[in-house]
Amino acid sequence: MSLRLRVRHVRTGLWHLRRGGPTALRRWRRRRRAEAGGRGRSFDFAGAEGRWTGHGRRRRLTFAPFTAITGAVRRPDVRVGVILDEFSMRAFAPEWTLIALDPQRWREQLRLQTVDFLFVEAAWAGNGGAWRHLLAGPGEPGRELRDLVAWCREAGTPTVFWNKEDPAHYADFRSTAHLFDVVLTTDASMVDRYRQDAPAQQVGVLPFAAQPTIHNPVRPMAGHRSRGIAFAGMYFGHKFPQRRRHLDALLAGAMKSAEATGDQLEIFARHADVDDRYRFPEPFNRFVVGSLDYARMLTAYRAYRVFLNVNTIADSPTMCARRMFELPASGVPMVTAPSDAIDTFFAGTGLAPVTTAGEAASAVTDILRRPADADRVLHRIQRRIWDHHTYAHRAEEVVRIALPGRHRPVTSPTVSAVVSCFRPHRVEDVLRVLGAQRDVDMQVVLLTHGFEIDRAHWTAIAENHGLRHITVLSASRDVSLGECLNRCVEAADGTVIAKIDDDDGYGPDYLHDALHALAYSHANVVGKQAHYLYLPNREMTVLRSPEAEHRFTALVPGPTMVGARDIFRQHPFAAVTRGEDTGFLTDVSRAGGVIYSADRFNYYRYRGSTDHTWQVSEESLLIGSENVLIGHAEQHSQV
């Protein structure tokens, strides 16, 4: 945390102490920890606010380095010797136990630490520059690499080479690729060429992806989408003419949009200061604001309302820029130049490439002026990424090929949807809603509160709605709601518990999305502090607490709470009928747990009668709400 932010932090704490004493100070500190994800990460406190340094032609825009969300390595049992660049090291580090090999010390390293396979990518330097000029170049691969691969072959250790530079640099890494047992390429159209050049090798496809520990929609506490339009990358004045045409169109369109909306276009240029071939030409050069390393670029992603993307290779079904995955996963609306890979990875999400400056200007302006529509497209892209295109998926594909017996597919945890219902007429509605949930292995635990039902009859109805695993409980009306929920939790056998209310609206992807939010946030409980609210008496839908979307928090609405079963059992609900949700979340937070407010989609609260457990006036509900919409909340909330 910078000195300025530390001073502000101390002053705020003193203000709470003066106004409310030690109790208020403790409450503020607890809320502050909750909003920082319970970790006190410097990124969360510093935010994504840009900072200018230097003067005149040396004036540059910079950001605080991004700090990843940390968690346990997903497959610590898979030990891999690696030669990777910074990007890929960050991408695979949360997936395997990595041993970064040194060209001079690898024998000693492998004697001390047995590895399951060797994984080397097409890196120009590798492992912090240690392998510079040893993997590619006009000559043969370096002796250090040849000896390493030969040692692994003699030891029976599989060797895998990933050419992420295909097809543009196939020739540069061709000799290196031929050393390995397995060759993986980012470009599916190159598979036949590899097989022709080295028929004995096993060849596969390994595209880029997103790493949720660093590419996630969790918003910083300050600076989120505070800037306008950005592009980051190189300008090739001497090669890749198609890419240059696409980039010229993107930047020209962004300039036009910026003029119309009053926003700023800012370009982060790599190598522009050291080589004339990479300088941005007029009129684009006046928008260059510096260059960022990868850690700062990850923070910069969160600062912009629109990010531009161009693909060096546009005619490959699987090769595209890394940012095609990184930007949307990080919660950044993207305008992209064409790529055949868009249809491969994101067909049906609404992501449409632009070719001309006019198309680019229209696409950028639409996002700037109608961000809600852009967020819907963004959410669909994110769901596709979490389902199929994370580095967990890519890591398991490598394991499937290199260690077939050790492959462990990426799967979602099982869910127990717990419902305490005191309205007999709502039973079938809630079963229908839960039966419509997609892509989730679910148990339903239904407790009838104050009435009995024919269990065989309702189990049959549940099966008609596609529910194969249902547990029915009952409790008399004098049993508190908190006790009812605890009984449901005790009967739950899912790894994750989702608390469901019988009178709110849940879209078919509600639970599926919630499981993704649990995974990328590493939170103990997720919910939707930002959510739609439908008031039928006023024929009005509003968005409540939009500022809380994709943020760590202290509270989320009870009907949206989703968390590990162990958390619910460690912190049972109080034996009360009102306030049991708040008490549970407070207990979780006090114990050091993390609570996350996810996206606003696929759920809405319904307030059309007077028999709700939570009694509150419509006027109170409208406080903190915005975006008054016409029509039912279902049409606005579902994505």
Side-chain angles (χ1 to χ4, degrees), residues 160-161 163 177-178 180-185 194 201-205:
V160 182
F161 182 73
N163 195 342
H178 289 174
F180 290 76
D181 303 323
V182 176
V183 174
L184 302 175
T185 174
Y194 277 109
Q201 282 184 316
Q202 188 173 359
V203 182
V205 179

Side-chain angles (χ1 to χ4, degrees), residues 163 166 170 177 183 185 190-198 203:
N163 195 342
D166 277 333
Y170 171 82
V183 174
T185 174
M190 297 294 293
V191 169
D192 288 343
R193 187 170 180 182
Y194 277 109
R195 287 174 175 163
Q196 291 170 3
D197 288 352
V203 182

Side-chain angles (χ1 to χ4, degrees), residues 44 167 295 424 461 586 609:
D44 290 295
I461 290 178
T586 301
S609 63

Side-chain angles (χ1 to χ4, degrees), residues 272-544:
D273 291 337
V274 297
D275 193 325
D276 288 342
R277 294 175 300 174
Y278 302 110
R279 291 188 188 279
F280 282 76
E282 287 283 358
F284 309 133
N285 61 346
R286 68 176 182 268
F287 299 102
V288 173
V289 293
S291 179
L292 298 174
D293 60 29
Y294 193 57
R296 287 174 171 78
M297 182 56 66
L298 290 171
T299 301
Y301 284 170
R302 279 86 175 167
Y304 289 90
R305 290 193 282 158
V306 186
F307 227 99
L308 309 177
N309 175 71
V310 66
N311 302 286
T312 301
I313 307 301
D315 58 356
S316 167
T318 57
M319 176 59 177
C320 60
R322 289 179 185 264
R323 288 196 173 96
M324 285 272 288
F325 299 98
E326 294 182 1
L327 288 169
S330 301
V332 189
M334 172 179 63
V335 173
T336 181
S339 168
D340 289 351
I342 293 174
D343 286 336
T344 302
F345 299 127
F346 301 123
T349 62
L351 178 63
V354 299
T355 304
T356 67
E359 291 173 348
S362 177
V364 172
T365 302
D366 282 348
I367 292 174
L368 293 173
R369 290 181 172 169
R370 287 179 287 276
D373 293 339
D375 283 343
R376 298 175 72 85
V377 174
L378 185 63
H379 187 77
R380 286 192 288 267
I381 297 173
Q382 287 172 346
R383 185 185 294 139
R384 186 72 55 82
I385 290 172
W386 310 141
D387 280 345
H388 303 292
H389 304 300
T390 70
Y391 276 100
H393 296 95
R394 303 297 187 253
E396 284 303 328
E397 176 63 10
V398 178
V399 172
R400 185 189 68 80
I401 295 172
L403 305 170
R406 304 272 298 277
H407 176 232
R408 193 167 75 198
V410 179
T411 58
S412 297
T414 57
V415 179
S416 289
V418 302
V419 188
S420 178
C421 177
F422 68 89
R423 290 171 281 249
H425 63 280
R426 298 295 303 169
V427 172
E428 184 162 9
D429 288 333
V430 77
L431 292 177
R432 182 176 61 251
V433 166
L434 291 174
Q437 293 298 304
R438 291 190 282 242
D439 301 319
V440 62
D441 183 357
M442 179 176 55
Q443 171 205 23
V444 175
V445 181
L446 172 66
L447 185 145
T448 59
H449 193 188
F451 66 97
E452 296 284 343
I453 60 174
D454 183 331
R455 300 190 183 194
H457 170 73
W458 284 102
T459 298
I461 290 178
E463 290 181 354
N464 289 337
H465 288 298
L467 299 169
R468 298 289 178 263
H469 189 184
I470 179 168
T471 300
V472 179
L473 309 173
S474 64
S476 60
R477 199 70 177 91
D478 61 336
V479 178
S480 68
L481 177 56
E483 292 174 290
C484 290
L485 292 172
N486 290 333
R487 294 183 188 184
C488 291
V489 169
E490 187 60 33
D493 58 20
T495 305
V496 168
I497 284 179
K499 182 176 178 289
I500 302 293
D501 270 19
D502 60 14
D503 58 346
D504 287 341
Y506 299 85
D509 292 297
Y510 169 79
L511 287 176
H512 188 56
D513 286 349
L515 294 179
H516 288 318
L518 273 174
Y520 66 68
S521 69
H522 285 246
N524 300 102
V525 178
V526 301
K528 294 180 184 288
Q529 193 169 344
H531 61 272
Y532 290 97
L533 171 71
Y534 182 53
L535 302 173
N537 296 332
R538 299 177 181 236
E539 297 183 353
M540 178 187 296
T541 295
V542 294
L543 176 61
R544 301 195 75 226

Side-chain angles (χ1 to χ4, degrees), residues 10 86 206 263 397 443 463 491:
V10 170
E86 179 192 1
L206 193 73
D263 287 280
E397 176 63 10
Q443 171 205 23
E463 290 181 354

Side-chain angles (χ1 to χ4, degrees), residues 71-84 88-100 116-121 160 162 184 206 211 391-403 406-408:
V73 174
R74 194 182 62 88
R75 293 291 306 270
D77 59 308
V78 178
R79 300 177 62 82
V80 187
V82 298
I83 302 174
L84 302 171
S88 298
M89 194 72 78
R90 281 177 171 261
F92 285 100
E95 308 304 329
W96 303 320
T97 298
L98 301 186
I99 294 93
D116 294 301
F117 62 90
L118 173 68
F119 185 64
V120 178
E121 75 169 355
V160 182
W162 180 35
L184 302 175
L206 193 73
Q211 173 48 258
Y391 276 100
H393 296 95
R394 303 297 187 253
E396 284 303 328
E397 176 63 10
V398 178
V399 172
R400 185 189 68 80
I401 295 172
L403 305 170
R406 304 272 298 277
H407 176 232
R408 193 167 75 198

